């Protein structure tokens, strides 16, 4: 896996680099602001060496507001095949919504505290690089909580909401079954009911898991 890291804290940037390289992945570049990130990806793409995934802080210089996420959104628009995982100190719904509003694959939003859980963090980076999703449980909880106020989830049972939250974290049906201590068949039934109640037809393919979350965000 080839990775570009965008983080203005040199200490954290070097730490992320070490975590990934120690596990056999290649960090091809490390930058400290959004403009440098866009420039680096543009140059790599021109050389036919687009990385598999970008790991970027939401807030970076010069204003430390939304430079990172704006760069991430631009890169997703220009390079749909590029995985983008953003890190944030806190759950910021506006940024999460903006990031998830485009293509339904190869995207992640994690809190920085999650980096301390090394295995979980590296698994998330790999999942995003491979075209999957990785949403922090706290992000999912806040986004789904907001959606409940809009009555989007009115048709789902409490168990279906719980299953949907675990789906949005990027867990497989088998992993959900282990988490909830139920059979794989029971989870499959819940997932089918969620798709049905949200109006996601089989023609939507494998991305229905992501579209289930996007349905809330776009409501």
């Amino acid at each position: 896996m080839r990775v570009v890291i965008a983080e203005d804290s040199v200490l954290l940037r070097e730490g992320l680099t070490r975590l990934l390289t120690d596990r056999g992945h290649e960090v091809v570049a490390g930058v400290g602001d959004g403009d440098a990130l866009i420039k680096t990806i543009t140059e790599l793409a021109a050389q036919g060496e687009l990385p598999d995934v970008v790991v970027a802080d939401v807030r970076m210089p010069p204003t430390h507001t939304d430079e990172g996420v704006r760069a991430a959104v631009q890169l997703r628009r220009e390079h749909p095949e590029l995985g983008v995982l953003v890190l944030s100190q806190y759950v910021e719904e506006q940024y999460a919504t903006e990031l998830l509003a485009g293509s339904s694959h190869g995207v992640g939003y994690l809190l920085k505290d999650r980096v301390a859980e090394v295995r979980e963090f590296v698994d998330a980076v790999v999942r995003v690089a491979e075209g999957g999703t990785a949403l922090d449980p706290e992000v999912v909880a806040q986004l789904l909580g907001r959606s409940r106020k809009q009555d989007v989830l009115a048709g789902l049972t409490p168990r279906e909401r719980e299953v949907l939250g675990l789906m949005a974290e990027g867990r497989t049906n088998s992993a959900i079954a282990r988490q909830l201590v139920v059979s794989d068949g029971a989870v499959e039934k819940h997932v089918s009911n969620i798709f049905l109640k949200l109006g996601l037809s089989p023609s939507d393919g494998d991305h229905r898991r992501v579209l289930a979350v996007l349905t809330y965000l776009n409501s």
Side-chain angles (χ1 to χ4, degrees), residues 2-196:
R2 300 176 68 251
V3 187
V4 169
I5 297 175
E7 166 61 57
D8 62 295
S9 167
V10 176
L11 185 61
L12 181 53
R13 187 166 72 236
E14 291 301 318
L16 295 175
T17 299
R18 180 67 178 271
L19 286 179
L20 294 168
T21 55
D22 281 355
R23 284 155 184 79
H25 304 298
E26 180 186 2
V27 176
V28 297
V31 299
D33 61 72
D35 289 342
L37 173 59
I38 292 174
K39 180 181 178 181
T40 297
I41 296 300
T42 300
E43 292 175 350
L44 289 171
Q47 297 166 11
E49 298 179 354
L50 191 71
D52 300 299
V53 60
V54 165
V55 178
D57 191 355
V58 166
R59 298 172 180 264
M60 289 194 290
T63 68
H64 292 279
T65 54
D66 62 351
E67 281 85 356
V69 75
R70 283 195 290 106
V73 170
Q74 179 177 333
L75 290 174
R76 279 176 59 74
R77 184 170 59 249
E78 296 175 354
H79 308 283
E81 69 276 31
L82 175 67
V84 174
L85 173 63
V86 300
L87 303 177
S88 179
Q89 192 69 42
Y90 311 102
V91 179
E92 301 177 87
E93 291 184 17
Q94 178 183 347
Y95 298 156
T97 302
E98 185 176 4
L99 185 69
L100 292 165
S103 175
S104 60
H105 67 281
V107 63
Y109 189 113
L110 295 182
L111 296 183
K112 286 187 174 180
D113 288 347
R114 201 67 56 189
V115 177
E117 301 174 29
V118 175
R119 186 172 184 177
E120 186 173 339
F121 168 70
V122 175
D123 286 347
V125 177
V126 172
R127 189 158 64 245
V128 171
E130 293 176 345
T133 58
L135 298 182
D136 194 284
E138 290 298 321
V139 175
V140 173
Q142 288 204 26
L143 294 178
L144 296 188
R146 183 188 67 183
S147 299
R148 288 193 191 95
K149 297 176 185 177
Q150 299 172 345
D151 207 30
V152 177
L153 300 182
L156 300 184
T157 66
R159 176 62 92 179
E160 288 166 353
R161 294 181 185 185
E162 189 173 12
V163 169
L164 180 55
L166 293 171
M167 286 167 54
E169 291 174 25
R171 299 175 188 257
T172 65
N173 285 0
S174 295
I176 294 173
R178 289 194 298 271
Q179 175 75 17
L180 300 180
V181 194
V182 298
S183 68
D184 287 0
V187 173
E188 291 175 3
K189 182 177 180 180
H190 288 313
V191 172
S192 294
N193 287 339
I194 290 168
F195 291 156
L196 179 64

